[in-house]
Every structure is written in C-alpha cells, then in structure tokens.
Amino acid sequence: MLRSGFVNWLGTFESDRAVFSESQIEVMDCWGVGVRFGVVPVSRSKAYWAGAAACPEARGKEPADHRAELRALFRGWPSPIPRLIEETPIERMNKIYVHDHDPIDTWHRGNVLLIGDAAHAALPTSGQGASQALEDAWHLADCLGSAASLEEAFTAFTKRRHAKNAAINAGARDLARSLFATDRALCEARDRRSKATDYEAMVQGMARGWSSGLPMSGRPGAPAARPQA
C-alpha cells in the first residue's frame, strides 16, 4: 500500500515562444476529485508543473506511459494544463510514488545525527522540505557552537527542531487527505471552505508557523519580529 495515498507526475516545460501572458506568471493550483494540477511559470515561455492523483498502491512508472496517464486524468482541464502535458518531452517528466515517515523522537546515536528528510521527511504538500533542511543546518551550527559536547549539541538540536517538524509533517498529511479525497461531496465541501477562506490571515498564520524558532529577532527561538505600523 502507498501510505501517502497519492502519486506525483513532475515536468519542466520550455517553449521557443511566449506561452504565458504577463498576468499569467503566477502559481496556478487546480483541484478536482482525487486529483490536483499545479503550474509554476518562471518566465513567459518556461514553467515547471506537477500533476497528482489519489493512488492507493504503486502501479508502475514506465516513462512511455506518463503522457497517456496524464491525458486520462486531466482531459478538459483549463489552459494551459493540456498543452503542458502534450508539449513537455517525456525525458523531462518523472513519476513519483510519494512517501513520508512518522516523526521520530531519536535523531542521533553516538556521533551520528539525522538531519533533513532523514529525520523528518514530510509530504510535498508541506511546501517545506528544502526549507526545513536548511533550517536544520543553521540550528545545528548554532548548537555545535554553544554546547560543551557532541551529545549535548545533538540533544539540544533535536529538542529545538522536533516539535516544529512534527507539526509540519501532520499539516502536510492533513492537506493531502483533503486534496486527494475521492468522495465528491467531501471535495465540494472542501472547495466551499476554500472559497470562504480569509487568505490574508492564512498567509500570516503560515508565515508565523514557518518562521517560528528562527532568529527573526535575536537568538534562535526568539519570537518573530512584528512588523511596525
């Protein structure tokens, strides 16, 4: 069984002419029943994209099958999704059966320490994989510089990082369950909630969560600095 419950097809698209207007150079995220497609243009002629679908178990990942699988899932979806599927070369596509792991309490033994995904792999719905690995590196350096021994440094590092990453892991799973629900009524209720969301407040909340424990003001662990009116 594929515990994450979904599979990702990833692609990088490049054209020799403009495909996106200036107003379209922004993230596009479309949801369906058990399926999702996101597009991130990086210029008027380049983008990377990800199509995803609920999938209870691995069923093969032959490159020759990628386009047909995507066509079947996203036929009739809004522009430019069909075009990206058709015009992205197969060699620029990949299919990933997504996994994470439960939070673990022990990140070190002797002089061996887990950091990044080895310690706290979260689903890509967290949007925080690389960011949390970079945070690990910063905090580890700080702990090593202030501790009297490796054991003390590694213990302090784990204590500092565990709760935040466990919360990110749980949040990513919650979002994945919502995005890849296969019950139409549940998806319709999700979409209604999405339309009623206060996105400014949501973004501020995400910023507070993602910046927690960072030296936004003073030493690690200090509260994030509040913007001045």
Side-chain angles (χ1 to χ4, degrees):
M1 294 293 290
L2 186 60
R3 198 180 69 174
S4 74
F6 69 99
V7 61
N8 266 348
W9 291 263
L10 309 175
T12 55
F13 168 85
E14 184 173 359
S15 176
D16 57 4
R17 59 190 185 280
V19 173
F20 306 98
S21 67
E22 290 294 337
S23 63
Q24 289 179 315
I25 302 180
E26 58 184 19
V27 175
M28 176 182 183
D29 193 12
C30 298
W31 304 348
V33 177
V35 286
R36 176 193 194 189
F37 202 103
V39 182
V40 182
V42 295
S43 75
R44 294 187 65 186
S45 59
K46 300 178 183 179
Y48 64 90
W49 54 262
C55 181
E57 59 186 20
R59 300 172 182 170
K61 50 181 301 182
E62 289 297 324
D65 297 333
H66 294 350
R67 201 183 316 277
E69 292 169 334
L70 290 163
R71 283 173 180 157
L73 287 167
F74 299 104
R75 183 177 291 111
W77 279 48
S79 176
I81 291 171
R83 180 173 183 176
L84 298 180
I85 291 170
E86 294 302 324
E87 297 186 14
T88 298
I90 290 295
E91 61 270 20
R92 293 188 180 179
M93 294 185 188
N94 195 13
K95 182 180 182 181
I96 299 172
Y97 290 98
V98 182
H99 295 77
D100 68 352
H101 62 68
D102 291 330
I104 57 176
D105 295 327
T106 301
W107 293 12
H108 74 282
R109 180 181 299 171
N111 64 353
V112 177
L113 173 72
L114 302 177
I115 65 171
D117 279 355
H120 46 74
L123 296 176
T125 43
S126 72
Q128 282 288 289
S131 297
Q132 291 309 308
L134 291 170
E135 284 189 33
D136 278 355
W138 191 93
H139 284 287
L140 178 58
D142 187 77
C143 290
L144 289 170
S146 59
S149 67
L150 273 182
E151 178 67 24
E152 180 182 314
F154 289 173
T155 299
F157 169 77
T158 303
K159 182 177 180 180
R160 187 185 288 184
R161 298 292 292 143
H162 183 274
K164 181 175 182 177
N165 279 283
I168 287 172
N169 186 294
R173 288 180 176 180
D174 286 345
L175 181 55
R177 281 191 288 268
S178 174
L179 288 174
F180 300 108
T182 55
D183 182 280
R184 183 171 294 276
L186 290 177
C187 291
E188 290 173 350
R190 172 202 65 194
D191 294 346
R192 289 193 296 271
R193 290 194 303 272
S194 177
K195 291 178 181 179
T197 297
D198 182 340
Y199 283 101
E200 182 175 351
M202 185 185 75
V203 168
Q204 291 175 352
M206 291 170 63
R208 285 193 296 271
W210 287 352
S211 64
S212 65
L214 292 174
M216 310 302 287
S217 175
R219 300 293 294 165
R226 294 182 179 276
Q228 300 297 310

